[in-house]
């Protein structure tokens, strides 16, 4: 029999107006749901920087296999406009502490998609705290007692981190941040004049322009923040919009970083429509949030942090994932070294939607691997 328990955990007050709820501003809480089979000794914690974990596809399959599953939301669940990664790992710390207090002998971090870099960042700091400030220069008070290390880490279709994601997904063709219609057609992966398969030179030019655009936004954000904060009693942060952030050449050319994917990325609409949509990666953000999660100044790169950890790692590659690629898997593998065990789930797409065989395979691997040795 599995007990299901809704949990509210107190957290430290972070940046002002991280939430629109006045109650949360004065007494912030994060929320989760623990599904604990009778006699479970191992607990896995599911978390993502901004997605709700309450209906995650692994809750029922893992609990049916005897693993307690704690689906935990960060304070940013439902929107990452003001997300600060350094605060999100404190939220994860509250969850790990809770599981330790419940008496579980072993705690496993489950990093699915964007949760992979968050869990790796957390574990690196839990083992050795090095972060004292966000990339915006705001102080971060990480306390060892509030961040107990986990015992193991599972990477499920994990991307390397939001800073890497942005420099590979952002549209290279944009030449004016204030005018999303202005573009350089010679760098537009969706332009009819640039059909796939792409030439090596075209991809190289797109990649260079993507990184340059990301770095221009970062330089502007840092300078704008300095200007605001130089004013007595002035604003400490500011919102802005980043247009067209879903244009990875691999969405169109399946010969780049090949796996079993169908074209189009992991969105429900076409990648070109997603690129132009009103809501996508970093579409609405703030200066401090851009620097913490999307810029190359971010401290939350997944493989970089994984290399600083010491725990065993299980990595599951979903072979038909349209947004996580073999080169991403290779980066994680290199960072984990001999500690990492890799499995390829053939035919698995990013969300395992309507794939019962692959879902059972993933659940079996995670449950068996997570048991004490």
């Amino acid at each position: 029999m599995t007990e299901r328990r809704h949990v509210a955990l107190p957290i430290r007050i972070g940046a002002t107006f991280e939430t629109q709820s006045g109650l949360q501003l004065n007494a912030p809480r994060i929320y989760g749901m623990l599904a604990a089979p009778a006699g479970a000794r191992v607990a896995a914690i599911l978390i993502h920087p901004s997605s709700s974990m309450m209906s995650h596809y692994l809750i029922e399959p893992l609990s049916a296999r005897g693993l307690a599953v704690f689906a935990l939301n960060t304070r940013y669940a439902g929107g990452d406009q003001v997300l600060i990664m350094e605060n999100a790992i404190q939220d994860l710390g509250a969850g790990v502490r809770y599981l330790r207090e419940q008496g579980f002998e072993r705690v496993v971090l489950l990093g699915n998609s964007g949760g992979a870099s968050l869990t790796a960042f957390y574990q690196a700091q839990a083992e050795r705290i090095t972060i004292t400030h966000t990339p915006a220069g705001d102080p971060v008070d990480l306390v060892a007692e509030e961040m107990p290390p986990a015992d193991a880490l599972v990477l499920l279709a994990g991307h390397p981190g939001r800073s890497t994601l942005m420099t590979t997904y952002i549209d290279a063709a944009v030449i004016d941040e204030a005018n999303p219609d202005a573009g350089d057609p010679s760098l537009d992966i969706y332009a009819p004049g640039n059909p796939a398969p792409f030439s090596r030179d075209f991809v190289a030019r797109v990649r260079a322009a993507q990184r340059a655009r990301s770095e221009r936004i970062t330089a502007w954000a840092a300078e704008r923040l300095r200007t605001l904060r130089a004013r007595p009693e002035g604003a400490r942060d500011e919102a802005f919009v980043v247009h067209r952030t879903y244009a990875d050449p691999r969405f169109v050319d399946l010969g780049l970083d090949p796996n079993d994917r169908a074209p189009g990325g992991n969105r429900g609409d076409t990648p070109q429509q997603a690129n132009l949509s009103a809501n996508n990666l970093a579409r609405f953000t703030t200066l401090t949030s851009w620097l913490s999660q999307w810029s190359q100044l971010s401290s939350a790169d997944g493989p970089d942090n994984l290399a600083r950890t010491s725990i065993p790692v299980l990595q599951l590659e979903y072979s038909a994932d349209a947004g996580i690629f073999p080169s991403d898997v290779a980066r994680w593998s290199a960072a984990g070294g001999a500690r990492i065990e890799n499995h390829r789930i053939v035919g698995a797409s990013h969300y395992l939607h309507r794939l019962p065989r692959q879902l059972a395979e993933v659940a079996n691997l995670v449950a068996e691997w997570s048991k004490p040795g």
Side-chain angles (χ1 to χ4, degrees):
M1 182 176 179
T2 298
E3 176 194 3
R4 284 168 175 78
R5 182 188 318 160
H6 290 280
V7 179
L9 301 176
I11 55 171
R12 288 172 176 248
I13 295 176
T16 305
F17 298 119
E18 284 184 331
T19 170
Q20 294 179 357
S21 164
L23 289 174
Q24 280 286 76
L25 285 173
N26 295 317
R29 299 285 189 274
I30 55 174
Y31 300 92
M33 190 275 292
L34 176 64
R41 298 162 52 206
V42 179
I45 184 167
L46 272 165
I47 196 166
H48 183 277
S50 59
S51 294
S52 173
M53 294 287 99
M54 298 302 183
S55 59
H56 194 274
Y57 59 80
L58 278 176
I59 296 173
E60 298 303 324
L62 289 181
S63 59
R65 288 161 173 79
L67 204 66
V69 181
F70 188 27
L72 182 65
N73 291 345
T74 72
R75 69 189 76 180
Y76 306 106
D80 57 11
Q81 298 89 340
V82 294
L83 193 155
I84 302 296
M85 292 297 290
E86 290 77 9
N87 290 340
I89 61 172
Q90 292 178 299
D91 295 350
L92 179 49
V96 176
R97 288 199 319 275
Y98 173 77
L99 293 176
R100 296 292 191 200
E101 291 166 357
Q102 300 308 300
F104 290 103
E105 298 174 13
R106 184 172 169 85
V107 175
V108 179
L109 304 177
L110 295 186
N112 185 196
S113 188
S117 58
L118 175 61
T119 52
F121 185 25
Y122 171 81
Q123 183 66 24
Q125 291 301 304
E127 292 190 22
R128 179 172 176 266
I129 293 175
T130 59
I131 298 293
T132 59
H133 292 79
T134 70
D138 296 319
V140 178
D141 186 16
L142 301 182
V143 180
E145 291 74 16
E146 298 177 359
M147 298 182 62
D151 300 297
L153 172 59
V154 177
L155 304 171
L156 302 159
H159 68 65
R162 291 185 161 210
S163 57
T164 296
L165 207 66
M166 184 52 58
T167 54
T168 55
Y169 278 25
I170 199 167
D171 193 338
V174 173
I175 57 176
D176 182 354
E177 295 300 330
N179 181 11
D181 290 333
D184 180 349
S186 72
L187 294 170
D188 189 346
I189 67 168
Y190 301 121
N194 299 319
F198 300 137
S199 70
R200 182 177 299 180
D201 174 70
F202 176 74
V203 174
R205 288 190 295 109
V206 167
R207 292 302 190 205
Q210 285 179 307
R211 189 171 190 94
R213 183 186 170 201
S214 176
E215 290 175 348
R216 286 196 302 271
I217 296 172
T218 297
W220 170 83
E223 180 58 31
R224 179 62 181 162
L225 196 62
R226 283 191 291 269
T227 298
L228 291 176
R229 293 184 174 186
R231 299 170 181 168
E233 304 302 320
R236 300 288 297 169
D237 204 356
E238 186 174 78
F240 67 103
V241 174
V242 184
H243 296 283
R244 294 169 59 173
T245 56
Y246 203 70
D248 192 315
R250 294 172 293 188
F251 295 160
V252 179
D253 188 346
L254 303 188
L256 300 173
D257 224 345
N259 59 7
D260 303 331
R261 68 187 182 271
N266 285 325
R267 298 285 172 170
D269 44 13
T270 70
Q272 186 171 16
Q273 290 171 333
N275 188 45
L276 300 174
S277 67
N279 187 26
N280 210 303
L281 300 177
R283 191 69 81 248
F284 308 99
T285 189
T286 68
L287 304 172
T288 59
S289 184
W290 172 273
L291 296 175
S292 177
Q293 64 173 321
W294 299 116
S295 81
Q296 289 298 307
L297 300 178
S298 173
S299 299
D301 181 82
D304 285 354
N305 280 304
L306 186 69
R308 301 185 182 103
T309 67
S310 62
I311 58 176
V313 183
L314 173 67
Q315 177 171 223
L316 302 186
E317 175 186 1
Y318 293 1
S319 79
D321 198 313
I324 312 298
F325 305 100
S327 62
D328 300 322
V329 175
R331 273 200 69 200
W332 285 108
S333 297
R339 294 181 289 120
I340 197 164
E341 179 180 324
N342 288 294
H343 292 270
R344 191 168 188 260
I345 312 302
V346 177
S349 59
H350 192 67
Y351 300 108
L352 299 184
H353 183 55
R354 295 180 179 174
L355 296 172
R357 180 183 63 78
Q358 288 85 353
L359 177 57
E361 183 179 358
V362 168
N364 287 336
L365 281 167
V366 173
E368 186 62 31
W369 186 85
S370 298
K371 293 177 182 177

